[in-house]
Amino acid sequence: MSEKDLMTRRIKPITTAAVIFFLVSAVAPLFVASWATLFALILAKGIVVLGIVLLLQAGQVSFGHAMFFAIGAYTSAFWGKYVGGGDILLYLVLGGISSTVFGLIVGLFVVRYREIFFGMLNLAFSMVLWSLLEKMFPYTNGADGIRVARPGLLGFVFTPETFQYVILYVSLLIAAAAFYGVQRYLESPLGHMLRAIKSNETRLEYLGMSARRVLLIGYVISAFLGGIGGTLVAIIQQIATPEFGFWTKSGEFVFIAILGGGAHAFGAFAGAAMFECVRFYAAAHLADSWQLILGVVLIVIILYAPNGLIGLRQRYRQSGKGGR
Amino acid sequence: MADVLLSARDIKIRFGGVIAADGINLDVHEGENLAIIGPNGAGKTTFLNISTGYLRPQAGTVTFLGQDITAHLPRTITKLGIARAFQIPQLFLDQTVMENMLIAAASRQGYPSGFKALARLPEASEMERLLELVGVRSYAERTARELPEGQRKLVDIALALALKPRLLLMDEPTSGVASSEKLEIMDILTTALAKEKVTSVFVEHDMDMVERYAHRVAVWNVGKIQKIGTPAEVLADPKVQQQVIGI
């Protein structure tokens, strides 16, 4: 069986798993209220990690993607602080626009570089942003961050109990749309060209395409997703702090992408679910050393499922064949 | 005489002490298969690199259909109608042969837009025809990584043909291929070029291939064109035999 057949047979079950995941995200919190915020966070972070997965197609890893996450979050925070009021949809539109514009500006520089230089340049930009957020205390409240007041939705206001479900379902709708859109993008000519950058950029240029432009489009989409995810997390947690743009946050997104696997858009959500669940329960039982548990999980994944959680099924199938 | 497609005038380039081109003048005429022969390091591939925008000469100009392309980028030159096939086939190894072809077709159309799946592009049937033409249709659903070297070479050429070029530049199209397959590959290749009405320039070391398939031969030696003419004229020249062919 060719590699292509294997890929096709792998992708269909993954799409089914994605549908099941979104259904569980919609239904499970109705039975356990505390899961509403947990699932909303998983979905919001999954959207950000989708952007990382997109760049992984081109073989590029951004160690500074949290800057777009922070921009989305701070756009809502600034609006609330300086304009007042607000609406979830307004925050999402503003967060999406600001991160896209910022992504385009940063992207024009970083797409000229590849591999470690691409990763480090992203890190450098994110650290500049983090420093500005930390040091411009009169505007940003420094390390304390800015509170994000609970916004309404289309003119409706909600109690905290209801709001956790509202933001969950908004996150779910956006996550499902982002998942579908990214998967369609990856299957489109541009998505294939993005993958072509990883395997043979020279040939792409000799086919008449600008590899930089192809990567820039992917990068800007990735920044947009980062901004949307950041806006959602700021609304869910009702705060935006400089930590949102710190390098450890970027590392967390890369960690989640590796955990989930980069071969399919669902890897972002599988990784986010695993990450947040481990953190949620490990932090409850091992308050000071939950990172240890996460580290062990990542080591196990790298050793036994180098293609991430979504690569597990293929590995299982192959080991089954080998055993016969 | 047919129209001149590509014209190089007084091209000069050197790499340190190595002279790759020292005042080269060369015309490529529409409809011909021009072979470039010469010792290793003579500057044959450098000429292809200059003609496709990968290198800029230190002096001289290259024109294509009368347009100066000396300072153009490879992708700009590709869009003007010059395609390239490489000595080591340059494929997207993780994608299927058909996906490789469709990426080329999409590039030619200038798609960066649209969310239509690559596999559903209307150019799919045309790409199948080209794969059939170069004899690798049966490999369409295999990933490029799985192909043997000979088939990779043919897919590399099919990729170039997918761009519908006026001129195809090929660097040693039969290198790395078993001797028994060389004739078959060149037969397929020249038939495809004739059918698609594509002019070609190919760098070659195998004199048998040059004699059979080239209309004209240019002998490149120490950055200069030592002789140019029909294969019979050139290969019979005692100096060429001694200095280039090594008889």
Side-chain angles (χ1 to χ4, degrees), chain A residues 20 29 109 113 132 163 165 179 183 187 190 197 199 230 239 283:
Chain A
I20 292 169
F109 289 97
Y113 300 89
L132 289 172
F163 184 77
Y165 286 101
F179 166 76
Q183 196 54 37
E187 288 165 12
L190 260 181
I197 290 175
S199 62
I239 195 165

Side-chain angles (χ1 to χ4, degrees), chain A:
Chain A
M1 187 183 295
S2 76
E3 205 171 308
K4 168 76 175 172
D5 295 334
L6 277 173
M7 183 73 90
T8 309
R9 291 180 66 164
R10 196 172 79 224
I11 281 174
K12 281 186 181 170
I14 291 172
T15 306
T16 309
V19 171
I20 292 169
F21 166 77
F22 287 126
L23 284 174
V24 169
S25 303
V27 175
L30 295 174
F31 299 98
V32 184
S34 65
W35 284 0
T37 301
L38 174 66
F39 272 97
L41 276 175
I42 289 171
L43 292 162
K45 287 196 176 170
I47 294 167
V48 183
V49 177
L50 266 180
I52 303 282
V53 167
L54 212 59
L55 294 177
L56 283 176
Q57 307 304 310
Q60 308 306 316
V61 183
S62 167
F63 292 114
H65 234 55
M67 68 181 134
F68 304 117
F69 182 75
I71 283 168
Y74 269 91
T75 302
S76 310
F78 284 139
W79 184 275
K81 184 176 179 184
Y82 294 109
V83 182
D87 186 281
I88 294 175
L89 294 183
L90 175 70
Y91 283 174
L92 286 168
V93 169
L94 293 175
I97 291 172
S98 56
S99 56
T100 301
V101 170
F102 199 74
L104 181 62
I105 295 166
V106 175
L108 287 169
F109 289 97
V110 299
V111 299
R112 302 163 72 90
Y113 300 89
R114 297 289 179 270
E115 298 175 350
I116 190 68
F117 305 103
F118 176 88
M120 288 295 121
L121 200 53
N122 272 285
L123 177 67
F125 274 108
S126 77
M127 292 310 287
V128 169
L129 178 72
W130 173 79
S131 299
L132 289 172
L133 294 174
E134 276 267 338
K135 304 297 177 195
M136 297 179 78
F137 190 87
Y139 306 103
T140 64
N141 294 347
D144 294 339
I146 304 173
R147 298 287 309 168
V148 178
R150 195 170 59 249
L153 178 65
L154 299 170
F156 295 98
V157 287
F158 305 98
T159 62
E161 291 73 29
T162 315
F163 184 77
Q164 64 177 348
Y165 286 101
V166 171
I167 195 65
L168 168 68
Y169 291 116
V170 169
S171 302
L172 180 60
L173 278 177
I174 295 171
F179 166 76
Y180 177 74
V182 166
Q183 196 54 37
R184 283 295 300 268
Y185 173 74
L186 293 180
E187 288 165 12
S188 74
L190 260 181
H192 277 272
M193 287 172 189
L194 197 65
R195 273 186 214 145
I197 290 175
K198 183 179 180 182
S199 62
N200 200 329
E201 187 170 338
T202 305
R203 177 42 111 176
L204 195 59
E205 291 279 340
Y206 275 99
L207 292 180
M209 290 304 295
S210 163
R212 280 186 193 170
R213 190 172 302 169
V214 170
L215 184 57
L216 180 63
I217 293 168
Y219 189 86
V220 171
I221 295 173
S222 172
F224 168 77
L225 293 168
I228 293 291
T231 306
L232 285 171
V233 170
I235 296 170
I236 295 164
Q237 297 184 332
Q238 296 180 18
I239 195 165
T241 70
E243 290 295 306
F244 280 33
F246 198 52
W247 68 270
T248 51
K249 185 60 79 179
S250 297
E252 183 180 309
F253 295 137
V254 174
F255 183 109
I256 294 172
I258 294 168
L259 202 58
H264 191 280
F266 182 56
F269 294 99
M274 176 72 134
F275 180 87
E276 286 300 327
C277 287
V278 169
R279 181 153 79 173
F280 190 77
Y281 290 104
H285 295 98
L286 292 162
D288 296 327
S289 50
W290 58 270
Q291 292 94 337
L292 180 74
I293 305 289
L294 273 178
V296 170
V297 168
L298 188 64
I299 290 169
V300 170
I301 290 288
I302 288 172
L303 287 177
Y304 295 101
N307 295 322
L309 291 171
I310 61 163
L312 274 175
R313 189 175 179 279
Q314 185 192 14
R315 188 179 169 86
Y316 172 75
R317 285 176 62 89
Q318 283 171 345
S319 64
K321 274 185 185 171
R324 271 176 220 145

